[in-house]
Amino acid sequence: MARKSYPTDLTDMDWEILAPLIPPAKEGGHPPTTDMGEICNAIYYHLKTGCQWNMLPGDFPPKSTVYSYYRKWHGQGVWEKFNHTLGGQVRSKLGKSTQPTALAVDSQSVNTDQKKGMCIVLTDVKR
């Protein structure tokens, strides 16, 4: 039985790009029976909707399986590979280098131990 389609589902083109970036199953043991595309669809659904893991729709793979892959891939840097690959492809389509040549940092996002509105001025005064 085909499952319901969600707006967060990967397109065939998306999957063509991402599939090679997913680590292969460990050799030996029981062969994997879970569709990695469905795992990705469930993870993207979770990320987009913000739902709790145990509230994923029942037509996705088991929630424990989806969460397990999410954590494992996080530890293996798979999400960073996805971002770098997709970002590079978008930049390439825009006629830019796949890697940015500059970085901008927003000074307002820098953490401080100072309370808002408090200013400390240090001066070196010799008397």
Side-chain angles (χ1 to χ4, degrees):
M1 182 174 134
R3 76 164 174 80
K4 176 183 174 183
S5 175
Y6 296 99
T8 54
D9 284 353
L10 296 168
T11 65
D12 290 341
M13 189 183 317
D14 295 336
W15 182 241
E16 240 180 78
I17 295 166
L18 297 180
L21 303 175
I22 294 176
K26 290 180 184 176
E27 291 191 24
H30 191 274
T33 57
T34 305
D35 180 347
M36 291 298 112
E38 286 300 291
I39 295 291
C40 288
N41 284 333
I43 290 171
Y44 288 134
Y45 180 91
H46 162 76
L47 294 173
K48 182 67 175 179
T49 65
C51 75
Q52 296 173 347
W53 288 107
N54 64 352
M55 296 185 78
L56 283 173
D59 50 358
F60 282 125
K63 296 142 188 61
S64 58
T65 303
V66 174
Y67 180 72
S68 174
Y69 276 103
Y70 174 80
R71 294 294 300 159
K72 181 167 66 168
W73 292 347
H74 176 72
Q76 294 174 340
V78 173
W79 300 116
E80 288 83 5
K81 288 180 197 172
F82 281 8
N83 284 333
H84 288 269
T85 300
L86 295 174
Q89 288 187 2
V90 168
R91 291 182 59 81
S92 180
K93 284 186 179 187
L94 294 173
K96 299 180 179 182
S97 168
T98 58
Q99 295 297 318
T101 56
L103 174 68
V105 178
D106 178 0
S107 65
Q108 293 185 9
S109 65
V110 176
N111 292 330
T112 178
D113 62 352
Q114 302 299 317
K115 292 183 179 178
K116 192 172 186 175
M118 183 177 190
C119 180
I120 297 176
V121 178
L122 298 176
T123 59
D124 187 11
V125 179
K126 293 184 181 179
R127 293 183 186 209

